[in-house]
Amino acid sequence: MMKLSNIHKTYGNGALQIAVLKDINLTIEPGEFVAIMGPSGSGKSTLMNIIGFLDYPSSGNYELNGEMISSFKEKQLAQLRNQHIGFVFQQFFLLPRIPAVKNVETPLIYAGVSKRERRQKAQQMLEKVGLEDRIKHLPNQLSGGQKQRVAIARALVNDPSVIMADEPTGALDSKTSEQIMELFVQLNEEGKTVILVTHEEEVAAHAKRVITIRDGMITDDRRQDA
Ligand SMILES: Nc1ncnc2c1ncn2[C@@H]1O[C@H](COP(=O)(O)OP(=O)(O)OP(=O)(O)O)[C@@H](O)[C@H]1O
Ligand SMILES: [Mg+2]
């Protein structure tokens, strides 16, 4: 369970200080499928980064599975990230000069997994996302949807309990978006917690819960039939 209490995030200081998140209170249970929506600049990515331990709140508490993580140091946070969370971004962030399978392997290098096991796991994940015939392709030899599948395989390779995706379909056409969303639905059905940011109603329609954020505050939080 991820529990954020009274989370604030401000940037800058003095007269130039801006409050980007204002008193966010939010609990996400294991197995949820959450979409975060809201206008540009409302604080969605900032909130995602805090939920995913990529950034610290300015104040407030964050409890993960009963443990208070506000006091954690950067190294511990990095460990939590590697263990619990897989990230997917709009721009894919694949390493351009190495083949798909090596891109998927990279998180395992940091986790200290042997070369042979890395390759095996990466191949399995590429199969899972339907790319078993693109293992040796370089990122620029793949379509946008295929690149995002590689990024999703990479996010899955450490077997995280939570997949976080910031506008994962933002760079894709609507048909490809739909295919990528079906993959997220499948992962959620398999038990992964999915948290994603999107501008698109069609994308959010796949989630079981939609949170709206405006001007740094949660203004709506509703469950829906996916
Ligand atoms: N490092 C930073 N320093 C200063 N201000 C920042 C920083 N990061 C974000 N902001 C500001 O915080 C606000 C929220 O940004 P954020 O990226 O969370 O918005 P968003 O909802 O994800 O928007 P978009 O839909 O355009 O991606 C914006 O006004 C932005 O300018
Ligand atoms: Mg954003």
Side-chain angles (χ1 to χ4, degrees):
M1 188 184 77
M2 304 163 118
K3 184 173 181 197
L4 288 77
S5 309
N6 311 112
I7 295 285
H8 291 256
K9 180 74 178 177
T10 53
Y11 286 113
N13 43 40
L16 295 176
Q17 194 171 63
I18 53 162
V20 174
L21 294 178
K22 305 164 191 167
D23 202 30
I24 297 285
N25 291 283
L26 175 62
T27 300
I28 299 175
E29 304 283 352
E32 283 204 76
F33 189 153
V34 181
I36 300 174
M37 302 195 76
S40 183
S42 57
K44 303 181 297 296
S45 295
T46 306
L47 178 60
M48 287 287 271
N49 291 346
I50 289 173
I51 296 175
F53 321 117
L54 287 169
D55 198 2
Y56 288 100
S58 305
S59 65
N61 290 316
Y62 186 174
E63 227 180 286
L64 176 75
N65 303 333
E67 256 196 294
M68 205 59 93
I69 66 155
S70 322
S71 56
F72 279 29
K73 299 278 179 289
E74 180 49 44
K75 205 175 159 192
Q76 293 171 293
L77 280 187
Q79 229 165 29
L80 278 182
R81 262 195 315 266
N82 291 341
Q83 271 170 21
H84 294 282
I85 306 204
F87 291 98
V88 176
F89 300 95
Q90 177 174 350
Q91 312 86 331
F92 322 123
F93 292 132
L94 300 177
L95 298 168
R97 289 180 218 290
I98 59 173
V101 68
K102 284 217 165 167
N103 266 284
V104 177
E105 278 179 39
T106 45
L108 297 174
I109 298 176
Y110 299 112
V113 176
S114 76
K115 202 171 172 180
R116 210 181 124 185
E117 199 183 334
R118 287 204 307 258
R119 182 56 52 103
Q120 194 187 356
K121 282 199 173 158
Q123 284 185 357
Q124 266 172 19
M125 289 306 128
L126 283 169
E127 270 169 45
K128 186 171 181 61
V129 300
L131 284 183
E132 56 281 356
D133 55 351
R134 292 290 187 279
I135 282 173
K136 296 270 165 66
H137 283 56
L138 294 173
N140 68 8
Q141 297 167 331
L142 297 170
S143 70
Q146 289 169 339
K147 281 186 204 136
Q148 196 57 301
R149 283 174 194 277
V150 173
I152 293 169
R154 180 182 56 189
L156 290 171
V157 79
N158 267 336
D159 196 24
S161 51
V162 182
I163 301 288
M164 301 196 66
D166 196 344
E167 307 256 12
T169 62
L172 307 175
D173 64 68
S174 58
K175 184 162 164 255
T176 310
S177 293
E178 192 56 30
Q179 291 165 350
I180 292 294
M181 288 313 297
E182 277 161 22
L183 191 51
F184 282 113
V185 168
Q186 184 198 329
L187 294 172
N188 179 245
E189 281 167 358
E190 290 170 9
K192 305 272 186 214
T193 307
V194 178
I195 308 171
L196 58 83
V197 166
T198 183
H199 277 111
E200 295 156 82
E201 295 287 347
E202 296 85 348
V203 169
H206 292 281
K208 295 179 194 153
R209 177 179 177 190
V210 180
I211 293 170
T212 308
I213 155 165
R214 276 177 202 280
D215 198 20
M217 289 177 285
I218 293 176
T219 56
D220 193 34
D221 184 350
R222 64 191 161 83
R223 315 247 163 204
Q224 65 183 12
D225 295 327

